[in-house]
Amino acid sequence: MKIASKSYSKKPDYSQLSQAELVSLLLQKDASLAQRDADIKQRDAYIERLEEIIRLQKVQRFAAKSEKQPFQITLFDEAELESAIDDLIDEIPEDSLSQELAQTKKTRQRQRGFSTSLNRIRREISLSDDDKAGATKTFFTKVKEELEFIPAQLNVIEIWQEKAVFESPTGEHVIAAKRPTHPLGKCIATTSLLAYIITSKYTDGLPLYRLDGMLARLGHEIGRNNMANWIIRLNDVFKPLINLMREQQNLGRYIQADETRIQVLKETGKTAQSDKWMWVTRGGPPDKPSVLFDYDPTRAGHVPTRLLEGFSGVLQVDGYSGYGKVCRELDITRIGCWDHARRKFVEAARGVTSQKGKSNKAKPSKADVGIGKIRKLYAIESKIEGLSESEKYTVRQELALPVLQDFKAWLETNHPKVPKDSLIFKAIQYTLNQWESLVAYCDHGFVHISNALAENAIRPFAVGRRNWLFADSSRGANASATCYSLIETAKANGLEPSSYIHYLLDHIADADTLEKIEALLPWNMPKAS
């Protein structure tokens, strides 16, 4: 067996080199080592960014969705801030303050027992005649209340039309009783069934195929294609009402806007996989709030320009640049959303290496510090929630602005200190880029610190989208936007969505004048007696 001989690398002989050549060689090696150290440092930074992203992805997928952080309580003296707010509130006239706070407290009171609006049925448990024999008197006492559920059922309504025949010299003349109008004309579904279908899909997030199975178990299979066609046809019926809501909304002084993706399979000039958009605007006069959805295959700036035509107040949106066009063209005041800024710091905090088990010794990260400073702003807003517009403006000017100035100084100090392309760098950069619009809420007492109301209006759509996944065509997407608009606007006006949709379907076919259509707006609904 032949064994391979070991090979040894021959060391270079430097004895023959001159001093200048040795110096040159050392400089080359130093440069090579410096380059290698730089490459290693760059590689380590790249690995750190990837690990940060992976940690964030794991948290987003598996961890709790709450944005609470372990250091959020200890990062600032909340008691000191609340004391300062209380001092300002003490300067407000007691009569006006107590009235505002009393109303706020009243709306937050916890409901005990069952609602008084529910139908009540008395069921008596009686003694037998033998048990009562010889008693001087008997009486009942209420010992318990139970909530009963009556399962849904399908009925077939047979409509018989009475006709009268009259004799005349020219022959018989027939008069028929006037048939009730239906929003879809010839349709096998009553308005109650249509209201149930719309509410089930757009309030409860049930896809039509699942709803079809539920109805089949009740005795009749309708077919999801039939239900989809009914919803699409109703879009034209509801359109005049939506147009009035849009006009009324744009007459207000404050609108919040947001947008989210929707998959539409059949859209001219677009692939099924490409992004299309559902836009939402929330606003209008305080006593006539509306939440309006609108489908558009693009996210271009001309879309909000179309939706906000005639509006000249304050628009609250995120940092998307497409809103700049409408603000310039319509001379609209733009303010930002602190929820979006805070969310980026939360993501940065979640991307930091986990300190589980060492929270008492761990030092807060820069992301944690940033969240703590933003929480000061939200603490102020929570405290002044029940105050009037002028009182909110005063508190924001005296307390929120100094907090904002301190936060900006911290951002500018730490911006050059954090690695570029890191999550904390992106959070700081976003906040600084949006600074002018983010602090603008302090200039008004009637606006909110964030765009949360618009995002909350989009949430039912996002939940439903997980169930029905996509819209087949743009007609279906537009019909969905109309249904969501009616339901969320009903909620914003304190109406039960199912009852409002049913009332609307019962009356909209006879609404042949502007006055009759206006009477169907949610804020014009007759009050329940």
Side-chain angles (χ1 to χ4, degrees):
M1 179 177 177
K2 185 177 181 181
I3 301 176
S5 60
K6 296 181 180 180
S7 61
Y8 297 93
S9 58
K10 186 178 180 181
K11 294 183 179 180
D13 183 11
Y14 299 118
S15 61
Q16 304 300 321
L17 298 179
S18 65
Q19 183 178 1
E21 290 174 332
L22 287 172
V23 171
S24 176
L25 184 61
L26 288 173
L27 291 176
Q28 290 178 11
K29 285 186 175 294
D30 288 343
S32 178
L33 290 173
Q35 181 62 44
R36 187 181 66 177
D37 291 342
D39 292 341
I40 292 174
K41 186 176 180 180
Q42 184 178 6
R43 182 199 63 187
D44 291 343
Y46 181 69
I47 292 174
E48 185 178 351
R49 298 290 80 74
L50 291 179
E51 290 178 341
E52 187 180 49
I53 294 172
I54 291 172
R55 286 192 294 268
L56 175 60
Q57 293 293 326
K58 285 183 177 180
V59 170
Q60 290 177 334
R61 184 172 182 180
F62 301 110
K65 303 302 181 184
S66 172
E67 294 186 357
K68 291 183 178 180
Q69 300 298 314
F71 301 102
Q72 65 182 20
I73 300 300
T74 60
L75 284 175
F76 69 91
D77 189 349
E78 194 165 5
E80 180 182 348
L81 179 62
E82 295 227 356
S83 176
I85 297 174
D86 289 337
D87 291 341
L88 277 178
I89 293 178
D90 288 340
E91 299 175 5
I92 301 171
E94 185 175 349
D95 293 339
S96 62
L97 176 62
S98 59
Q99 182 179 1
E100 293 284 350
L101 295 182
Q103 182 64 27
T104 303
K105 183 178 180 181
K106 182 179 178 181
T107 59
R108 291 183 172 183
Q109 285 180 344
R110 180 181 177 185
Q111 179 182 335
R112 298 184 180 275
F114 298 127
S115 171
T116 56
S117 63
L118 293 174
N119 183 40
R120 290 178 175 266
I121 301 173
R122 176 167 173 156
R123 292 179 181 172
E124 297 180 350
I125 305 174
S126 302
L127 294 168
S128 67
D129 292 338
D130 292 339
D131 292 334
K132 293 187 290 185
T136 57
K137 65 177 180 178
T138 63
F139 61 94
F140 287 91
T141 59
K142 185 169 72 172
V143 294
K144 186 181 180 182
E145 286 187 348
E146 296 178 337
L147 196 61
E148 181 185 37
F149 173 73
I150 301 176
Q153 63 179 9
L154 290 177
N155 296 324
V156 178
I157 306 298
E158 297 181 352
I159 300 177
W160 292 64
Q161 185 181 35
E162 186 178 15
K163 298 181 180 181
V165 180
F166 297 89
E167 297 288 345
S168 66
T170 57
E172 291 182 343
H173 178 59
V174 179
I175 295 180
K178 185 179 179 181
R179 294 173 57 180
T181 55
H182 191 285
L184 294 181
K186 292 183 178 181
C187 180
I188 66 169
T190 63
T191 54
S192 63
L193 179 56
L194 292 174
Y196 174 71
I197 292 171
I198 291 174
T199 306
S200 296
K201 178 172 181 179
Y202 297 106
T203 302
D204 303 326
L206 290 176
L208 293 182
Y209 79 87
R210 195 178 303 167
L211 187 58
D212 186 35
M214 294 168 60
L215 294 173
R217 292 198 301 271
L218 294 175
H220 183 73
E221 184 176 353
I222 295 176
R224 56 178 172 175
N225 288 337
N226 285 332
M227 290 188 281
N229 287 332
W230 293 339
I231 294 174
I232 290 174
R233 288 170 59 193
L234 284 172
N235 184 48
D236 293 332
V237 176
F238 292 141
K239 188 55 66 178
L241 195 64
I242 297 297
N243 291 339
L244 285 178
M245 289 182 181
R246 179 72 66 187
E247 292 177 6
Q248 190 68 51
Q249 185 181 86
N250 288 344
L251 292 176
R253 56 178 176 170
Y254 178 39
I255 287 180
Q256 296 174 306
D258 204 357
E259 71 286 335
T260 188
R261 292 175 176 84
I262 178 175
Q263 185 178 15
V264 180
L265 301 184
K266 301 173 184 175
E267 178 64 65
T268 304
K270 293 271 189 175
T271 63
Q273 294 77 21
S274 62
D275 287 337
K276 294 89 177 178
W277 298 90
M278 187 69 78
W279 298 73
V280 63
T281 54
R282 190 191 196 283
D287 58 336
K288 300 175 181 179
S290 59
V291 181
L292 300 178
F293 289 72
D294 190 274
Y295 166 72
D296 200 284
T298 75
R299 202 188 183 196
H302 65 80
V303 180
T305 301
R306 170 175 60 82
L307 298 178
L308 298 172
E309 183 179 358
F311 178 65
S312 58
V314 176
L315 176 65
Q316 187 168 38
V317 291
D318 58 21
Y320 173 51
S321 60
Y323 291 108
K325 176 181 175 65
V326 63
C327 292
R328 291 189 300 270
E329 292 184 357
L330 302 183
D331 194 25
I332 292 175
T333 301
R334 177 177 179 174
I335 64 175
C337 170
W338 274 102
D339 273 7
H340 285 78
R342 181 182 63 182
R343 198 167 296 140
K344 294 187 180 299
F345 282 94
V346 170
E347 291 176 353
R350 289 178 170 179
V352 176
T353 304
S354 174
Q355 298 287 344
K356 187 175 181 180
K358 304 178 182 179
S359 57
N360 294 331
K361 299 180 180 180
K363 181 181 178 181
S365 66
K366 284 184 171 58
D368 292 319
V369 176
I371 294 170
K373 292 181 177 296
I374 294 175
R375 284 194 68 252
K376 291 184 181 181
L377 303 173
Y378 280 85
I380 294 172
E381 295 303 306
S382 176
K383 191 70 174 179
I384 66 176
E385 183 179 358
L387 303 185
S388 66
E389 294 178 9
S390 60
E391 292 160 353
K392 286 182 179 179
Y393 173 80
T394 300
V395 175
R396 285 171 176 172
Q397 290 293 312
E398 295 194 23
L399 289 184
L401 283 182
V403 173
L404 287 165
Q405 292 169 358
D406 173 71
F407 187 29
K408 187 179 183 183
W410 181 87
L411 292 170
E412 292 174 339
T413 300
N414 286 276
H415 184 250
K417 295 181 179 179
V418 296
K420 291 186 177 180
D421 297 329
S422 64
L423 293 176
I424 184 60
F425 178 86
K426 293 177 180 178
I428 294 176
Q429 179 116 356
Y430 175 89
T431 307
L432 287 174
N433 290 342
Q434 301 294 321
W435 189 256
E436 294 301 321
S437 63
L438 285 172
V439 302
Y441 80 97
C442 292
D443 297 333
H444 313 276
F446 58 88
V447 303
H448 299 282
I449 190 174
S450 74
N451 212 16
L453 291 178
E455 290 192 348
N456 290 341
I458 275 186
R459 188 166 289 113
F461 168 81
V463 172
R465 181 180 54 193
R466 294 174 189 166
N467 293 321
W468 42 258
L469 301 179
F470 57 83
D472 183 64
S473 65
S474 59
R475 292 181 64 203
N478 284 315
S480 295
T482 295
C483 292
Y484 276 115
S485 298
L486 295 174
I487 287 170
E488 292 304 315
T489 301
K491 291 180 184 178
N493 286 271
L495 301 178
E496 199 283 311
S498 179
S499 299
Y500 174 65
I501 296 296
H502 192 180
Y503 182 90
L504 201 57
L505 291 168
D506 280 342
H507 295 84
I508 198 166
D510 295 322
D512 51 2
T513 64
L514 179 61
E515 290 74 15
K516 291 181 179 180
I517 297 176
E518 288 179 338
L520 297 177
L521 292 167
W523 45 84
N524 292 332
M525 285 291 95
K527 303 298 181 182
S529 57

